[in-house]
Amino acid sequence: GGFRSGMISDRRGTTVDSPLFLRKAAMLAIVTVRHNLPNSMIEWRGNRSGKLVGQLQALADCFLGFLMDGNAWRRIGRTTMRRDFVGKRVLLTGASSGIGWYVADYLVRAGAFVVVTGRRQERLDQLRQSFGNPQKRLIALSGDVADHQHRLALIATAVDELGGLDILINNAGIGAVGQFEGASPERLRRVFEVDFFAATELTRLALPHLHRGRQPAICLVNSVLGHRGVPNKSEYCAAKFALRGWS
């Protein structure tokens, strides 16, 4: 919901600051991997003075650590082996800023081959240049994930340039703030197009290739607002609830 520094609180009101709760926050608020997660609720509570960059890096680390850790799945009743990213072929949306930027950077440094997308080409260029694009392991394709033709181009690029797909990370998202009554219908539709339909339809296109992938995974970057609605963010909450229900 808000990536600010501070403690983490469970719904009983207990506040802690520990790696265990960070991992639970990553499980519940950051990613859903093909299955619904447990019903317990974790909330971020903190002040506004924290450094956003540090928080985004920490959240990206939690996200990727959970994706890699087979023991985490065993704790919630799933069984899998530990995953590594060496040689993995990844498609990542929303990579021009925030969590997506740091996830992309980590994946390339970990040895993955990554196709990234975002709306700002200059930011994608900066991402690629930030680590020298070793062995051309990052391919950037700017565009709007709400556009069906762009989604087709993303899948085609992954298949043609990487030879297939192992991991899809649906990270792109937008928000909207303000009362629903005075907002336009276009605002609601735009939020759903990016936050829900883009993820579901890109997943639909990716599934035939993921079935042939190595340790395939589908990841959704979600929000605690997909568990609990708040005032003045009704469109965003609705889209995140829909994404959680679909997954």
Side-chain angles (χ1 to χ4, degrees):
F3 306 127
R4 301 169 182 162
S5 65
M7 308 295 284
I8 301 171
S9 172
D10 66 15
R11 61 180 170 183
R12 294 184 297 252
T14 305
T15 58
V16 297
D17 187 7
S18 72
L20 174 61
F21 268 73
L22 283 174
R23 294 188 69 80
K24 289 184 178 179
M27 288 166 60
L28 294 170
I30 307 305
V31 61
T32 302
V33 186
R34 298 194 70 175
H35 298 285
N36 290 325
L37 294 176
N39 292 325
S40 56
M41 177 64 68
I42 301 294
E43 297 177 341
W44 287 89
R45 295 179 181 176
N47 56 58
R48 297 174 181 269
S49 62
K51 293 183 178 179
L52 181 60
V53 170
Q55 290 298 313
L56 291 172
Q57 288 175 325
L59 290 172
D61 288 343
C62 287
F63 166 74
L64 291 164
F66 180 70
L67 179 58
M68 291 177 66
D69 187 2
N71 290 327
W73 282 113
R74 294 188 186 96
R75 286 194 295 270
I76 59 173
R78 311 290 180 186
T79 302
T80 185
M81 66 184 72
R82 182 174 177 83
R83 187 188 312 275
D84 68 70
F85 297 117
V86 177
K88 291 296 191 298
R89 300 160 298 177
V90 184
L91 173 55
L92 167 66
T93 68
S96 59
S97 63
I99 295 174
W101 173 286
Y102 294 103
V103 169
D105 181 83
Y106 183 98
L107 287 169
V108 172
R109 295 181 188 278
F113 295 88
V114 189
V115 174
V116 299
T117 188
R119 288 175 292 174
R120 294 174 287 176
Q121 182 63 52
E122 69 279 5
R123 289 286 292 162
L124 296 178
D125 291 339
Q126 292 171 11
L127 172 63
R128 186 171 56 246
Q129 295 164 6
S130 67
F131 49 79
N133 198 14
Q135 300 181 17
K136 299 183 178 179
R137 288 204 301 267
L138 185 140
I139 301 169
L141 190 64
S142 63
D144 185 353
V145 290
D147 179 4
H148 177 65
Q149 293 303 316
H150 181 60
R151 295 194 293 265
L152 288 174
L154 289 173
I155 298 297
T157 300
V159 173
D160 294 343
E161 298 294 331
L162 306 183
L165 191 61
D166 302 312
I167 300 172
L168 170 64
I169 304 176
N170 288 299
N171 171 67
I174 61 172
V177 180
Q179 292 186 344
F180 177 79
E181 181 180 8
S184 67
E186 289 75 22
R187 188 174 81 171
L188 173 63
R189 292 184 181 277
R190 177 61 179 167
V191 170
F192 263 82
E193 285 292 343
V194 176
D195 292 7
F196 178 71
F197 288 112
T200 56
E201 294 305 325
L202 185 59
T203 300
R204 190 195 306 274
L205 294 173
L207 278 171
H209 307 286
L210 289 168
H211 284 313
R212 297 189 291 271
R214 302 185 296 271
Q215 288 185 293
I218 299 168
C219 306
L220 307 175
V221 178
N222 212 318
S223 168
V224 291
L225 299 188
H227 293 256
R228 180 179 299 172
V230 298
N232 294 318
K233 292 187 177 181
S234 57
E235 296 99 336
Y236 181 77
C237 293
K240 292 302 185 180
F241 265 84
L243 193 63
R244 178 178 169 229
W246 170 78
S247 66

